[in-house]
Amino acid sequence: MIPIKPVSMHSSAVPNTKSAPDLSHIPLDVAGKFLAPGKLNLTVLPPLALYIHFPWCVKKCPYCDFNSHEVKGTFDEDGYLRALRADLESSLPLIWGRKIYSVFIGGGTPSLMSATGLDRLMSDIRTLLPIDGAAEITMEANPGTFEMEKFRSYKESGINRLSIGIQSFNSQHLAKLGRIHNGDEAKRAIEIARTHFDNFNLDLMFALPGQTLEEVKTDVETALAFAPPHLSLYHLTLEPNTYFAKFPPVIPDDDLSAEMQDVIHGKMEASGYRHYEVSAYASRGCESKHNQNYWNFGDYLGIGAGAHSKLSFHHRIVRQARYKQPKAFMDAAMSGNAVQESTEIAVNDFPFEFMLNALRLNHGFPVNLFQERTGLLINSIEKELLEAERKGLLIRDHQTIKPTSMGKLFLNDLQQIFLRESDEK
């Protein structure tokens, strides 16, 4: 959902991690220059995750607004892997001394990567970065690309969690969505995943063109029969700049969509799953560590075509975006800087940026997390908190702030309360 992607293979390009100084306490810009302290003062930097974007797919789905590009015959896997390593090497000064707590390889369709290529990528990551021993390392995969031996190799390379883009088990709906697999292939993919991985996620979509309430029930029941540790259930949205936006299909109306959501919640709850985020359900202890880091306003370094980063320093927070087109990204990365845009988040925008993520968590967030991640006192948003309470969208006590049932239904309205006018003149 959203957001996200020097000659690299020479040993001289690899930093000497034993002798390099720890500069993580000093704010840097993307060029590595030292910066004067600003208004922000973070006493503790948040956990850091790594996102790696793989931009190619077999076929562009009509609803997809991610940075994905159809494979025209073949793709330059070797060149892309070299560019990823170069991108990571160039980024090291910004994260020096910080440990990686989760890795997510998204796309596109990363499972198009060869087993050898994935092993090479994981080797580069382990060479250049300190990875926490308990790190969650997720790879997205689509059923049309599942091969038993390839996924056995993926696990041996270090992948410990799969996220499988099922979307539906109904072959007719899959065809309308432009998916390259059918219902039987979706089931086979899950069986392969269960053979090799204890931890995996299934992505399902609802409110599909022509979908009925009974068909939603069948999709959810079919998924639950496989006992997935994690399920993501997304409402189909017609995103700008997609085929569906240009030629919109007939989709369920708001009333039917609401009924579908109620059915989904009821079945998931009855099966013992915890609804911990707007679109995410998990068995106890199987919540996605990587996504929770996003929702708790943690940091992430994004490498690869179109990848986004959010990086905190003690005196500022920076967002980055890489070049989107694969060729442009590879050329830029090999030239030493794959970053196309870099902006510093204005302190005045921190409350909205934080709440845009944290209020997606159904059980809310600890009060002290706001100050820890933004450097601002909770009193600085007292006016907004009172307004949200007055409207019945939010509740709080001395420990926790969380959306009410109404706040979950009108999440956009709740988040907008924390949007302030720009402090730039």
Side-chain angles (χ1 to χ4, degrees):
M1 61 189 264
I2 343 325
I4 289 213
K5 305 203 179 268
V7 181
S8 62
M9 296 309 293
H10 293 304
S11 60
S12 61
V14 179
N16 183 344
T17 56
K18 292 184 179 179
S19 60
D22 180 3
L23 303 179
S24 61
H25 63 291
I26 302 175
L28 302 167
D29 66 7
V30 293
K33 298 176 181 178
F34 295 104
L35 298 166
K39 292 182 288 185
L40 178 63
N41 183 24
L42 295 180
T43 57
V44 179
L45 297 183
L48 178 65
L50 175 67
Y51 175 77
I52 304 162
H53 193 74
F54 182 89
W56 290 286
C57 58
V58 175
K59 180 182 178 183
K60 182 79 171 180
C61 297
Y63 59 86
C64 178
D65 69 335
F66 295 146
N67 184 36
S68 58
H69 306 264
E70 288 189 15
V71 171
K72 305 297 183 183
T74 60
F75 59 90
D76 186 2
E77 180 176 277
D78 176 71
Y80 194 70
L81 290 171
R82 285 190 290 112
L84 285 175
R85 177 161 180 149
D87 188 3
L88 182 53
E89 288 172 348
S90 297
S91 302
L92 290 178
L94 298 175
I95 59 169
W96 208 261
R98 298 179 66 180
K99 186 177 287 189
I100 301 295
Y101 290 94
S102 69
V103 179
F104 195 102
I105 306 172
T109 306
S111 49
L112 286 175
M113 208 181 319
S114 69
T116 302
L118 188 278
D119 189 64
R120 173 177 159 188
L121 174 61
M122 294 302 300
S123 177
D124 285 346
I125 293 170
R126 286 191 291 265
T127 298
L128 296 171
L129 294 173
I131 307 294
D132 184 74
E136 174 190 274
I137 303 176
T138 303
M139 181 178 188
E140 286 186 337
N142 286 335
T145 62
F146 265 69
E147 300 170 20
M148 183 73 78
E149 289 302 317
K150 182 191 281 189
F151 279 85
R152 180 181 291 115
S153 297
Y154 286 167
K155 183 176 182 181
E156 291 172 353
S157 297
I159 303 298
N160 57 30
R161 183 177 182 269
L162 283 185
S163 183
I164 311 169
I166 300 295
Q167 314 312 351
S168 176
F169 293 97
N170 184 308
S171 295
Q172 290 183 328
H173 289 315
L174 288 168
K176 291 178 183 177
L177 291 174
R179 305 296 289 177
I180 63 171
H181 66 277
N182 59 34
D184 289 338
E185 289 171 325
K187 295 172 186 176
R188 177 177 172 271
I190 300 173
E191 290 292 359
I192 294 175
R194 292 174 67 190
T195 300
H196 298 296
F197 295 88
D198 295 326
N199 195 6
F200 61 92
N201 166 65
L202 303 182
D203 274 353
L204 288 180
M205 299 177 72
F206 67 96
L208 307 179
Q211 190 177 38
T212 66
L213 192 59
E214 284 302 317
E215 288 171 336
V216 171
K217 291 179 183 178
T218 299
D219 268 352
V220 175
E221 289 169 353
T222 304
L224 289 172
F226 291 99
H230 193 283
L231 265 167
S232 299
L233 290 139
Y234 301 108
H235 188 296
L236 173 65
T237 54
L238 307 185
E239 300 288 354
N241 303 316
T242 64
Y243 182 88
F244 272 1
K246 188 175 182 181
F247 304 101
V250 178
I251 59 176
D253 61 25
D254 290 345
D255 289 340
L256 180 54
S257 294
E259 281 189 75
M260 290 176 174
Q261 284 184 302
D262 289 342
V263 165
I264 290 168
H265 295 334
K267 287 191 173 295
M268 297 302 295
E269 188 175 85
S271 298
Y273 285 81
R274 178 173 178 253
H275 187 201
Y276 72 101
E277 188 269 343
V278 172
S279 303
Y281 297 80
S283 299
R284 184 66 60 179
C286 294
E287 296 84 356
S288 169
K289 293 180 181 178
H290 190 84
N291 287 342
Q292 283 189 106
N293 187 56
Y294 289 148
W295 298 322
N296 283 300
F297 207 50
D299 277 0
Y300 48 93
L301 171 66
I303 63 171
H308 289 249
S309 302
K310 177 236 167 191
L311 299 172
S312 299
F313 307 95
H314 288 287
H315 300 293
R316 68 188 205 139
I317 300 176
V318 173
R319 289 198 184 280
Q320 297 176 335
R322 265 67 177 165
Y323 289 89
K324 293 183 68 174
Q325 292 294 325
K327 181 63 165 59
F329 163 75
M330 288 190 279
D331 290 344
M334 298 309 293
S335 297
N337 187 9
V339 177
Q340 184 177 24
E341 297 178 11
S342 180
T343 57
E344 182 175 345
I345 304 175
V347 174
N348 197 50
D349 293 335
F350 285 1
F352 177 69
E353 292 266 356
F354 178 90
M355 293 297 184
L356 188 65
N357 292 280
L359 288 174
R360 292 180 62 91
L361 295 165
N362 285 341
H363 299 281
F365 59 89
V367 172
N368 61 1
L369 186 70
F370 178 78
Q371 182 173 350
E372 181 181 311
R373 298 292 158 86
T374 67
L376 303 175
L377 295 175
I378 194 67
N379 294 348
S380 67
I381 56 169
E382 183 65 19
K383 176 184 173 183
E384 290 89 346
L385 290 171
L386 287 172
E387 181 182 352
E389 286 181 303
R390 181 178 58 80
K391 292 181 176 180
L393 301 175
L394 179 145
I395 56 175
R396 57 174 167 155
D397 55 30
H398 66 286
Q399 290 184 319
T400 305
I401 296 174
K402 64 180 181 180
T404 62
S405 297
M406 186 183 294
K408 295 171 189 176
L409 289 174
F410 298 95
L411 183 59
N412 288 343
D413 294 326
L414 173 55
Q415 293 164 331
Q416 287 284 344
I417 290 173
F418 297 91
L419 182 61
R420 298 172 171 178
E421 293 184 8
S422 174
D423 58 359
E424 295 181 5
K425 296 183 180 181

